[in-house]
Amino acid sequence: MAWLRELAGTDIIRTNQRTDGWGRLKLDEFASIHKWTKGRQPEQWQRSRGVVLGIGDDTAVVELPEAAAGSGAWQWLLAVDTMVETVHFNWTTMTEEDVGYKALAANVSDIAAMGGLPQHALVSVSVPRSFEPQRMSRFYDGLYACAEQYGVAVVGGDTTSSPQHLVVAVTVTGTVEADRAVRRSGARAGDAVFVTGPLGMSAAGLHYLLAADSGASGHGLSGRSGSPDVPAAAAAEAAEAAEAAGAAPLVRAHRRPQPSVRAGRLLLSRGTCRSLNDVSDGAASEAWELAEASGVSIVLREDWLPRSGSLASYAASVGVDPLEWMLYGGEDYVLIGTMDKHDADAAKSELNGQGIPFYRIGEVEEGEPGVWLSEGTGKKRTAVPKRGYNHFE
Ligand SMILES: Nc1ncnc2c1ncn2[C@@H]1O[C@H](COP(=O)(O)OP(=O)(O)O)[C@@H](O)[C@H]1O
Ligand SMILES: Cc1ncc(C[n+]2csc(CCOP(=O)(O)OP(=O)(O)O)c2C)c(N)n1
Ligand SMILES: [Mg+2]
């Protein structure tokens, strides 16, 4: 950071700033990074995350964070997730702030899915040449909002241009008590299956935003695609329309997922949670991953699946079966897992007592890896296909 701080006040940076034919200020790479990240997280706070050297050198230097050091053996968790404009978002479904927030949240969710504590992030952005600097500042406003909420120190990244679309790849670290990380492979016959939040809301929110954008109702951030900048008024207007249509909770779930870090920590500390996964590609697909990794069969109870009122009423209004979104929609970023069924009620009380949702949704059985949906206590069950979001379909 020090060299950036020094440079920021010098002519080297100033002479590298120029305006193009469109009157837009073009910052050079270093000045941009400085602008996006400077002063966002106090050095003192980063120090508590073990950061010895943050943004500004060839690498960051970190040691085990205070919370982990001196309290027994810990291990690192490492993960990366990417968001690509047109694949994970477009400018009618998300604002710049939303993209920044969600890019980090999706990674924090992977740490939560191991029962860990998120610690550091590296942020790689490939920015279209036509982007105004202001838009990336807004991206970082959202990213740092998520970092603050989950206590993540942003310690570096990479910046390149992109011929057309914005691409964001965030790498995170987390910490977990040695050999306690909750894997996908620990489910056992007899376990209770649970989720830590409602399902399908993000997919319904996306449906609302895309329908709005296609002109059906005109509620999205319409007119934004390809436009250089969005007047804040357009976003505010779209938010009001979503509120009026009862779709606000769905849109919020899509744009600002809330990864279940506290749930993951509490479940790990109970010692009875045997498998965990986060729901990015859809509950069916994640349940299949648990079933295959553990060599078990998972039976979901249709009447136990948590369905929010806003999901049910929006689905009815557009003639979609809400189960489609709940099982195959994705981007819920809640946890799905299995645990000793004798501890399930106590776990539910503990989590609910702390304001954290916990829903028992089924059970684990012996058998060929697979996922089934049962209508009630009866024996009738239907096979749940291994279907979800697939990047290559
Ligand atoms: N291109 C890649 N190279 C190496 N490992 C990868 C690559 N893509 C995914 N993985 C690894 O494969 C596993 C499954 O990835 P993924 O399905 O994306 O998990 P998640 O749904 O949690 O993001 C993870 O361990 C991930 O680190
Ligand atoms: C414009 C737009 N179209 C479609 C989607 C839906 N979508 C895109 S990626 C995805 C799945 C999650 O992303 P992925 O990169 O597979 O996450 P990972 O499993 O690696 O965590 C979904 C449901 C979206 N969010 N936005
Ligand atoms: Mg991934």
Side-chain angles (χ1 to χ4, degrees):
M1 203 70 169
W3 67 268
L4 264 180
R5 230 177 284 120
E6 277 160 30
L7 270 183
T10 71
D11 285 335
I12 300 172
I13 291 279
R14 261 182 244 119
T15 52
N16 279 337
Q17 292 183 341
R18 56 190 188 276
T19 53
D20 65 13
W22 305 92
R24 292 176 194 155
L25 188 67
K26 277 200 174 166
L27 299 174
D28 88 357
E29 219 179 290
F30 290 149
S32 298
I33 297 162
H34 183 69
K35 198 165 164 312
W36 299 335
T37 61
K38 170 192 70 148
R40 298 267 197 172
Q41 295 183 327
E43 240 167 75
Q44 199 52 33
W45 180 83
Q46 286 216 340
R47 194 71 196 86
S48 72
R49 286 290 178 279
V51 180
V52 177
L53 183 63
I55 294 173
D57 214 306
D58 298 308
T59 76
V61 179
V62 301
E63 57 197 11
L64 209 58
E66 262 168 30
S71 52
W74 288 63
Q75 290 169 335
W76 288 110
L77 304 170
L78 308 171
V80 60
D81 254 316
T82 307
M83 282 179 75
V84 179
E85 182 184 340
T86 73
V87 175
H88 296 83
F89 63 91
N90 62 43
W91 299 117
T92 67
T93 63
M94 305 269 279
T95 66
E96 289 75 359
E97 289 89 340
D98 295 328
V99 175
Y101 188 97
K102 191 165 172 179
L104 181 55
N107 277 276
V108 165
S109 181
D110 278 324
I111 300 295
M114 303 303 284
L117 261 179
Q119 300 284 357
H120 313 105
L122 298 166
V123 182
S124 159
V125 292
S126 298
V127 186
R129 289 174 194 279
S130 60
F131 246 55
E132 284 99 343
Q134 197 47 38
R135 298 184 70 181
M136 284 312 288
S137 293
R138 299 218 312 262
F139 167 92
Y140 275 94
D141 289 345
L143 185 127
Y144 276 101
C146 183
E148 187 174 336
Q149 192 178 331
Y150 288 95
V152 176
V154 178
V155 294
D158 190 35
T159 305
T160 74
S161 66
S162 160
Q164 198 174 355
H165 294 126
L166 178 65
V167 178
V168 182
V170 177
T171 302
V172 281
T173 74
T175 47
V176 69
E177 294 81 354
D179 303 323
R180 298 283 308 279
V182 188
R183 305 179 185 201
R184 294 175 179 176
S185 55
R188 283 193 223 154
D191 278 1
V193 183
F194 61 83
V195 284
T196 62
L199 298 170
M201 293 185 67
S202 171
L206 177 62
H207 181 280
Y208 170 85
L209 291 164
L210 292 176
D213 185 44
S214 71
S217 55
H219 293 324
L221 295 168
S222 309
R224 288 201 58 202
S225 34
S227 81
D229 203 358
V230 192
E237 216 174 277
E240 257 173 51
E243 201 75 57
L250 308 175
V251 168
R252 226 176 359 258
H254 184 71
R255 293 189 173 153
R256 302 281 171 140
Q258 304 291 307
S260 303
V261 173
R262 286 196 304 138
R265 295 298 292 153
L266 288 172
L267 288 163
L268 177 141
S269 71
R270 292 191 76 82
T272 52
C273 179
R274 299 210 176 98
S275 67
L276 269 185
N277 197 359
D278 71 321
V279 182
S280 55
D281 297 326
S285 164
E286 313 302 347
W288 263 97
E289 285 178 2
L290 294 176
E292 288 187 320
S294 305
V296 296
S297 170
I298 287 181
V299 183
L300 303 177
R301 279 276 300 265
E302 187 176 335
D303 53 331
W304 287 358
L305 294 175
R307 124 181 16 194
S308 77
S310 45
L311 173 73
S313 56
Y314 179 70
S317 77
V318 291
V320 171
D321 179 358
L323 205 57
E324 176 65 25
W325 287 328
M326 293 166 71
L327 290 177
Y328 310 108
E331 298 183 285
D332 297 303
Y333 296 109
V334 298
L335 302 179
I336 182 169
T338 75
M339 66 183 300
D340 183 343
K341 68 166 176 252
H342 305 292
D343 194 40
D345 286 343
K348 183 178 173 58
S349 306
E350 187 191 6
L351 269 71
N352 290 174
Q354 300 209 23
I356 304 167
F358 180 96
Y359 305 96
R360 200 164 164 177
I361 60 165
E363 56 202 13
V364 179
E365 292 185 356
E366 265 172 40
E368 282 294 299
V371 180
W372 303 85
L373 194 64
S374 80
E375 271 173 24
T377 44
K379 286 271 172 281
K380 191 171 166 266
R381 40 182 75 166
T382 50
V384 173
K386 201 197 296 185
R387 171 159 79 82
Y389 191 86
N390 184 319
H391 286 273
F392 298 101
E393 255 169 18

